[in-house]
Amino acid sequence: MPARSSASRRTVLRGAAVAPVAGLGLAACSAPGGNGAAAATPTAPVDLGAETEVAKGGAKLYRDHNVVVSRDEDGALRAYSTICTHAGCPINKLQGTTLICPCHGSQFDAVTGKVVQAPATVPLNELSVKATNGRIVAGPAAD
């Protein structure tokens, strides 16, 4: 009796059919421009706009910089990277103070950076933020 291959024909064909579909997830998580790398958060301080744009208890998403800034009820500002910690997708939706990742539906609290809905399990990366001359300036976390 001849030896059988460990992979059946059905298994091989199933894998071939799934491979192109799996690639779609990678494309959805790629940065615009098609270079395959996730868009980055600021590597140097960046002026995001007027300090008045973020109300107490609210948050504002700065899509062009992949940053969200929130202000707590005491008026303190906090900033987080909006690159999802699950698959590196840029988060492009803010509902109230909840960030929603378009790739797999992870949700994060924009005030704390914490995960509120999986598949992500790691909080967003916190950035430094300050108000200078009425402007919000955010950048990499101070070490």
Side-chain angles (χ1 to χ4, degrees):
M1 175 174 202
R4 293 189 72 189
S5 164
S6 61
S8 71
R9 182 172 187 263
R10 180 177 291 167
T11 301
V12 171
L13 291 175
R14 185 180 305 137
V18 171
V21 175
L24 292 175
L26 293 174
C29 291
S30 296
N35 64 6
T41 54
T43 56
V46 61
D47 183 324
L48 297 173
E51 182 180 4
T52 56
E53 292 179 346
V54 183
K56 284 185 179 180
K60 180 166 174 61
L61 177 60
Y62 297 90
R63 286 183 190 92
D64 292 346
H65 298 288
N66 294 314
V67 173
V68 65
V69 176
S70 63
R71 185 184 303 272
D72 67 21
E73 292 299 333
D74 295 330
L77 294 172
R78 305 235 5 219
Y80 297 94
S81 164
T82 56
I83 300 300
C84 183
T85 58
H86 171 247
C89 300
I91 298 170
N92 62 4
K93 188 173 186 180
L94 177 67
Q95 284 184 333
T97 58
T98 301
L99 292 158
I100 304 167
C101 181
C103 292
H104 304 106
S106 292
Q107 295 183 14
F108 300 87
D109 183 329
V111 177
T112 65
K114 292 181 179 176
V115 176
V116 295
Q117 180 174 303
T121 58
V122 176
L124 294 172
N125 294 320
E126 189 165 6
L127 304 172
S128 68
V129 64
K130 62 185 174 180
T132 304
N133 299 323
R135 308 290 291 174
I136 297 172
V137 178
D143 291 329

